[in-house]
Amino acid sequence: MCTFASCLKSMNKGLYILLIAILMVSCSDFQKTFRSEDTAAKFKMGTELFEAGKYSKAHRMFNQILPKYRGKPQAEKLTFMHAMSSYKMKDYYFASYHFDKFTDVYPQSEKAEEAAFLSAKGYYYNSPVYSKEQKETVEAIEKLQLFVNQYPNSQYLEEANKLVRELDFKLEKKAFEIAKQYDLIRDYKASVKSFNNFLFDFPGSSLREEALYYRLHAEYNLALLSVDSLKENRLNIAVNYYKAFVKAYPNSEFLEEASQWNKTLNEELEKFKTKI
């Protein structure tokens, strides 16, 4: 007579064997259907796998039969599932490409709006971190804006706009860090130019306060290091940058340091005028 523990162990072992057997049969059925010439059976099994969340296997099945269903009534559903399985597998390049093909071929489909959004969202996922080249980020913004323009009343509108804001900030961060890097390596002229471009391109940026601060810092150093023929003009520019900074952010955490710079700038201007 077995103990409770030994019976439980035997039961668990039996369940494990049963599970392995079911999986082996399941795999055997998949391989059998996958190797067959029965496109209807492949469509049926692929759909079942897709609905069960087994996207990798479903995708393999769909890849085989997609060309054979071109022009047939089932092609619309098959094409969408094929693209969606790629999306669920996080193969966003492939998914976006096939969602685009879906919307081109089936513009009146009830799935067209969802396909257009998921295509754009795939571009969003392919956008790299801000420190890298931002070609994909620009493409993603364009794709999402195109979706918003095409479906202004979409159920996905709020999410699409949120994604655009995230991508826009990535471009802002990229431009800001480039300008800041020039300041760090003491290329103050390039830093001032880059921050001016940043402020022009992103007037409503959340990084605007820091941009004004670092622009002032760069112009301050540029002025102090200038030769006499350029110094007075650059000192005046730096003072004006200080005034613009204080006007925009009178309670800034950087105000004390900026005020000290302004004091030094005015002292230098007085020395320069006396010297002249």
Side-chain angles (χ1 to χ4, degrees), residues 6-20:
S6 62
C7 287
L8 185 60
K9 185 176 180 180
S10 298
M11 185 183 298
N12 288 338
K13 184 178 180 180
L15 289 172
Y16 177 76
I17 294 171
L18 178 62
L19 180 61
I20 293 297

Side-chain angles (χ1 to χ4, degrees), residues 264-276:
T264 303
L265 290 168
N266 282 293
E267 288 172 353
E268 288 296 313
L269 272 171
E270 287 301 316
K271 290 179 185 177
F272 185 80
K273 290 175 182 176
T274 302
K275 183 179 179 180
I276 294 298

Side-chain angles (χ1 to χ4, degrees), residues 12 58-59 126 130 136 175 178 186 197 208 218 236 263 275:
N12 288 338
H59 189 266
N126 286 324
Y130 77 86
E136 288 88 351
I178 288 172
R186 300 184 179 182
N197 289 337
R208 186 169 181 268
N236 283 315
K263 181 181 177 182
K275 183 179 179 180

Side-chain angles (χ1 to χ4, degrees), residues 8-268:
L8 185 60
K9 185 176 180 180
S10 298
M11 185 183 298
N12 288 338
K13 184 178 180 180
L15 289 172
Y16 177 76
I17 294 171
L18 178 62
L19 180 61
I20 293 297
I22 291 171
L23 288 172
M24 288 179 66
V25 171
S26 176
C27 290
S28 176
D29 287 344
F30 173 82
Q31 291 297 336
K32 182 180 178 181
T33 305
F34 186 75
R35 292 169 183 167
S36 77
E37 297 298 322
D38 191 341
T39 54
K42 289 181 179 183
F43 183 93
K44 181 175 181 295
M45 176 169 279
T47 302
E48 290 172 352
L49 289 167
F50 177 84
E51 291 173 350
K54 298 178 181 179
Y55 301 111
S56 180
K57 284 188 173 182
H59 189 266
R60 288 178 63 194
M61 200 71 78
F62 295 150
N63 268 339
Q64 276 200 342
I65 62 176
L66 194 62
K68 298 178 182 180
Y69 274 92
R70 193 166 291 125
K72 295 183 179 180
Q74 303 96 322
E76 180 181 334
K77 179 180 180 181
L78 178 59
T79 304
F80 184 84
M81 289 192 297
H82 181 240
M84 182 63 88
S85 60
S86 296
Y87 184 85
K88 292 292 188 179
M89 291 161 60
K90 299 184 179 181
D91 185 353
Y92 298 117
Y93 281 110
F94 197 85
S96 292
Y97 173 76
H98 283 280
F99 277 130
D100 285 342
K101 287 187 69 174
F102 179 86
T103 56
D104 287 342
V105 178
Y106 306 105
Q108 303 304 317
S109 170
E110 64 178 19
K111 292 287 189 179
E113 180 182 329
E114 182 180 2
F117 175 68
L118 292 178
S119 171
K121 196 171 182 180
Y123 279 81
Y124 162 83
Y125 282 125
N126 286 324
S127 169
V129 295
Y130 77 86
S131 57
K132 294 187 177 181
E133 171 60 42
Q134 293 300 300
K135 178 175 175 288
E136 288 88 351
T137 301
V138 174
E139 289 177 346
I141 291 172
E142 291 173 351
K143 196 73 177 176
L144 284 159
Q145 290 287 9
L146 186 65
F147 171 79
V148 169
N149 293 339
Q150 189 173 0
Y151 298 98
N153 300 311
S154 172
Q155 61 178 311
Y156 307 110
L157 186 63
E158 184 178 347
E159 185 178 358
N161 286 327
K162 177 177 176 291
L163 297 180
V164 169
R165 288 193 295 272
E166 287 182 26
L167 294 167
D168 276 337
F169 182 75
K170 196 176 288 187
L171 295 181
E172 291 176 26
K173 185 70 172 173
K174 173 79 172 180
F176 176 86
E177 291 298 333
I178 288 172
K180 187 177 176 182
Q181 185 63 31
Y182 282 129
D183 186 66
L184 290 173
I185 64 173
R186 300 184 179 182
D187 188 348
Y188 298 120
K189 189 174 181 180
S191 182
V192 169
K193 183 179 179 180
S194 295
F195 275 121
N196 278 330
N197 289 337
F198 174 86
L199 292 164
F200 179 81
D201 292 336
F202 308 104
S205 173
S206 60
L207 299 170
R208 186 169 181 268
E209 179 181 353
E210 286 186 78
L212 288 171
Y213 166 76
Y214 280 109
R215 182 183 69 167
L216 170 58
H217 178 260
E219 188 64 40
Y220 166 80
N221 284 290
L222 183 62
L224 295 185
L225 296 171
S226 292
V227 295
D228 285 350
S229 59
L230 300 172
K231 192 164 190 174
E232 183 179 17
N233 183 53
R234 287 176 173 171
L235 286 168
N236 283 315
I237 290 173
V239 169
N240 287 332
Y241 282 172
Y242 168 77
K243 291 176 181 177
F245 174 72
V246 172
K247 183 179 179 180
Y249 300 99
N251 300 311
S252 173
E253 62 179 296
F254 307 117
L255 189 59
E256 183 177 348
E257 189 174 15
S259 296
Q260 184 59 50
W261 294 341
N262 183 56
K263 181 181 177 182
T264 303
L265 290 168
N266 282 293
E267 288 172 353
E268 288 296 313

